[in-house]
Amino acid sequence: MNEIEDDAEAAGAAAAEAPALCPRCQKPVALCVCEALTEHRGKVQVLVLRHPQEKDRVLGTAKMIEQQVPGSKVVTGLSWRNLGAVLKKDAEPKEWGVLYQGAKAARPGKDAAPLVAVDKKAAPLEDQQAGLKGIKGIILLDGTWSQAKTLWWRNAWLLKCRRLVLAPSQPSAYGKLRREPRRDSLSTLEAAALAVSVLERDDKLYDRLTAPLRLLVQKAGGKQA
Ligand SMILES: [Zn+2]
């Protein structure tokens, strides 16, 4: 057998193993989350910068943001010239907040608000109300901690955006399903949902937007949990 036939055989085997994807939610049919997807037309847009090596397609949640929040975007890459280049329209970085914890940032205390505006050194701003006022969009970095760090350092324009950190009051719904590096942090969807619900002052929004993740975890982990 020559190499070409080998490749063809390997490709055929891979196709046979790959589960069919739901055309709407893009999850394997057995893990379809469509019934839990909602549509939220709000004031705050979401932009997800996804590291090219972020491969967690089956359990990934970034696409659920696009599917639920019209106007939101998930883009894959390592660096972009500026915010406008990513959004493909004029954008004022000061009207956008980037969610980035950073290794040195002190974690907000237990009594902290769920969304905290911080300065360049990740220290909470004196005036939180002013810090969160007028934010029209939030940016999330999707990937492992080190991938997020790479995205942060490769896109200097992020420093022109406001900087935000999350202090979630409940752990991620991922629980044991999630791989180690992000175990104690929220999924991309949960982080976006929390930030948007705070900025739009809608208490019920978090549960609505994260419903597909809970369904995914239930379907994917029901047996092993
Ligand atoms: Zn589906």
Side-chain angles (χ1 to χ4, degrees), residues 11-35:
E17 278 167 28
L21 298 183
C22 167
R24 187 176 167 218
C25 70
Q26 302 292 313
K27 293 295 176 198
V29 172
L31 300 177
C32 170
V33 296
C34 286
E35 64 190 274

Short mmCIF file of all heavy atoms in Angstrom, two decimals, residues 11-35:
data_model
loop_
_atom_site.label_atom_id
_atom_site.label_comp_id
_atom_site.label_asym_id
_atom_site.label_seq_id
_atom_site.Cartn_x
_atom_site.Cartn_y
_atom_site.Cartn_z
N ALA A 11 -7.94 9.08 6.69
CA ALA A 11 -8.95 10.13 6.62
C ALA A 11 -10.34 9.51 6.73
O ALA A 11 -11.22 10.03 7.42
CB ALA A 11 -8.82 10.91 5.32
N GLY A 12 -10.53 8.39 6.08
CA GLY A 12 -11.83 7.71 6.13
C GLY A 12 -12.15 7.26 7.54
O GLY A 12 -13.26 7.46 8.02
N ALA A 13 -11.15 6.73 8.22
CA ALA A 13 -11.36 6.27 9.59
C ALA A 13 -11.70 7.44 10.50
O ALA A 13 -12.59 7.36 11.33
CB ALA A 13 -10.11 5.55 10.09
N ALA A 14 -10.99 8.58 10.29
CA ALA A 14 -11.24 9.75 11.12
C ALA A 14 -12.67 10.25 10.90
O ALA A 14 -13.37 10.62 11.84
CB ALA A 14 -10.24 10.85 10.79
N ALA A 15 -13.12 10.24 9.62
CA ALA A 15 -14.46 10.72 9.32
C ALA A 15 -15.50 9.81 9.96
O ALA A 15 -16.53 10.27 10.45
CB ALA A 15 -14.66 10.78 7.80
N ALA A 16 -15.21 8.51 9.97
CA ALA A 16 -16.16 7.58 10.54
C ALA A 16 -16.27 7.77 12.05
O ALA A 16 -17.33 7.62 12.64
CB ALA A 16 -15.75 6.15 10.22
N GLU A 17 -15.13 8.15 12.67
CA GLU A 17 -15.14 8.34 14.13
C GLU A 17 -15.74 9.67 14.56
O GLU A 17 -16.30 9.78 15.63
CB GLU A 17 -13.70 8.28 14.66
CG GLU A 17 -13.21 6.86 14.85
CD GLU A 17 -11.72 6.82 15.08
OE1 GLU A 17 -11.17 7.81 15.61
OE2 GLU A 17 -11.10 5.81 14.71
N ALA A 18 -15.57 10.70 13.70
CA ALA A 18 -16.06 12.01 14.07
C ALA A 18 -17.59 11.98 14.15
O ALA A 18 -18.24 11.60 13.19
CB ALA A 18 -15.60 13.06 13.06
N PRO A 19 -18.15 12.39 15.29
CA PRO A 19 -19.60 12.35 15.40
C PRO A 19 -20.26 13.44 14.54
O PRO A 19 -19.66 14.48 14.30
CB PRO A 19 -19.83 12.63 16.89
CG PRO A 19 -18.61 13.32 17.37
CD PRO A 19 -17.47 12.92 16.47
N ALA A 20 -21.46 13.16 14.06
CA ALA A 20 -22.19 14.16 13.28
C ALA A 20 -22.51 15.35 14.18
O ALA A 20 -22.85 15.18 15.35
CB ALA A 20 -23.47 13.53 12.75
N LEU A 21 -22.35 16.55 13.61
CA LEU A 21 -22.60 17.76 14.41
C LEU A 21 -24.00 18.30 14.14
O LEU A 21 -24.50 18.25 13.02
CB LEU A 21 -21.57 18.84 14.06
CG LEU A 21 -20.10 18.53 14.35
CD1 LEU A 21 -19.23 19.73 14.01
CD2 LEU A 21 -19.90 18.12 15.81
N CYS A 22 -24.61 18.83 15.18
CA CYS A 22 -25.90 19.50 15.02
C CYS A 22 -25.64 20.76 14.19
O CYS A 22 -24.75 21.54 14.51
CB CYS A 22 -26.47 19.87 16.38
SG CYS A 22 -27.85 21.03 16.27
N PRO A 23 -26.41 21.00 13.12
CA PRO A 23 -26.14 22.15 12.26
C PRO A 23 -26.33 23.49 12.97
O PRO A 23 -25.73 24.49 12.60
CB PRO A 23 -27.15 21.99 11.12
CG PRO A 23 -28.18 21.04 11.61
CD PRO A 23 -27.52 20.17 12.66
N ARG A 24 -27.13 23.53 14.04
CA ARG A 24 -27.36 24.82 14.69
C ARG A 24 -26.36 25.09 15.81
O ARG A 24 -25.64 26.08 15.79
CB ARG A 24 -28.79 24.88 15.24
CG ARG A 24 -29.12 26.25 15.78
CD ARG A 24 -30.56 26.37 16.24
NE ARG A 24 -30.74 27.58 17.02
CZ ARG A 24 -31.52 27.66 18.09
NH1 ARG A 24 -32.20 26.62 18.49
NH2 ARG A 24 -31.62 28.79 18.75
N CYS A 25 -26.28 24.20 16.78
CA CYS A 25 -25.40 24.48 17.92
C CYS A 25 -23.98 23.98 17.70
O CYS A 25 -23.08 24.29 18.49
CB CYS A 25 -25.98 23.90 19.21
SG CYS A 25 -25.98 22.11 19.30
N GLN A 26 -23.74 23.22 16.63
CA GLN A 26 -22.41 22.73 16.27
C GLN A 26 -21.83 21.73 17.27
O GLN A 26 -20.63 21.43 17.23
CB GLN A 26 -21.41 23.90 16.11
CG GLN A 26 -21.81 24.93 15.07
CD GLN A 26 -21.75 24.38 13.65
OE1 GLN A 26 -20.79 23.75 13.26
NE2 GLN A 26 -22.82 24.59 12.89
N LYS A 27 -22.64 21.21 18.16
CA LYS A 27 -22.18 20.18 19.08
C LYS A 27 -22.49 18.82 18.46
O LYS A 27 -23.39 18.71 17.62
CB LYS A 27 -22.91 20.30 20.43
CG LYS A 27 -22.59 21.56 21.21
CD LYS A 27 -21.15 21.60 21.63
CE LYS A 27 -20.79 22.92 22.32
NZ LYS A 27 -19.33 23.14 22.35
N PRO A 28 -21.77 17.76 18.88
CA PRO A 28 -22.16 16.43 18.42
C PRO A 28 -23.65 16.20 18.72
O PRO A 28 -24.13 16.67 19.76
CB PRO A 28 -21.27 15.51 19.26
CG PRO A 28 -20.09 16.34 19.63
CD PRO A 28 -20.61 17.74 19.78
N VAL A 29 -24.34 15.53 17.82
CA VAL A 29 -25.80 15.40 17.95
C VAL A 29 -26.22 14.89 19.35
O VAL A 29 -27.19 15.38 19.92
CB VAL A 29 -26.35 14.48 16.84
CG1 VAL A 29 -27.82 14.17 17.07
CG2 VAL A 29 -26.17 15.17 15.48
N ALA A 30 -25.43 13.96 19.90
CA ALA A 30 -25.77 13.42 21.22
C ALA A 30 -25.68 14.48 22.32
O ALA A 30 -26.23 14.31 23.40
CB ALA A 30 -24.85 12.25 21.55
N LEU A 31 -24.93 15.56 22.04
CA LEU A 31 -24.75 16.61 23.05
C LEU A 31 -25.46 17.90 22.65
O LEU A 31 -25.16 18.97 23.19
CB LEU A 31 -23.25 16.89 23.26
CG LEU A 31 -22.37 15.73 23.73
CD1 LEU A 31 -20.91 16.18 23.80
CD2 LEU A 31 -22.83 15.21 25.08
N CYS A 32 -26.37 17.81 21.70
CA CYS A 32 -27.07 19.01 21.20
C CYS A 32 -27.66 19.84 22.34
O CYS A 32 -28.31 19.31 23.24
CB CYS A 32 -28.18 18.58 20.24
SG CYS A 32 -29.28 19.94 19.76
N VAL A 33 -27.40 21.15 22.30
CA VAL A 33 -27.90 22.03 23.37
C VAL A 33 -28.95 23.01 22.87
O VAL A 33 -29.32 23.95 23.58
CB VAL A 33 -26.75 22.81 24.05
CG1 VAL A 33 -25.79 21.86 24.76
CG2 VAL A 33 -25.98 23.67 23.04
N CYS A 34 -29.43 22.80 21.65
CA CYS A 34 -30.36 23.75 21.02
C CYS A 34 -31.55 24.09 21.91
O CYS A 34 -31.97 25.24 21.98
CB CYS A 34 -30.86 23.21 19.68
SG CYS A 34 -29.59 23.31 18.40
N GLU A 35 -32.10 23.08 22.58
CA GLU A 35 -33.32 23.33 23.37
C GLU A 35 -33.07 24.34 24.49
O GLU A 35 -34.01 24.96 25.00
CB GLU A 35 -33.85 22.03 23.95
CG GLU A 35 -32.90 21.38 24.94
CD GLU A 35 -33.30 19.96 25.34
OE1 GLU A 35 -34.10 19.84 26.28
OE2 GLU A 35 -32.83 19.00 24.71
#
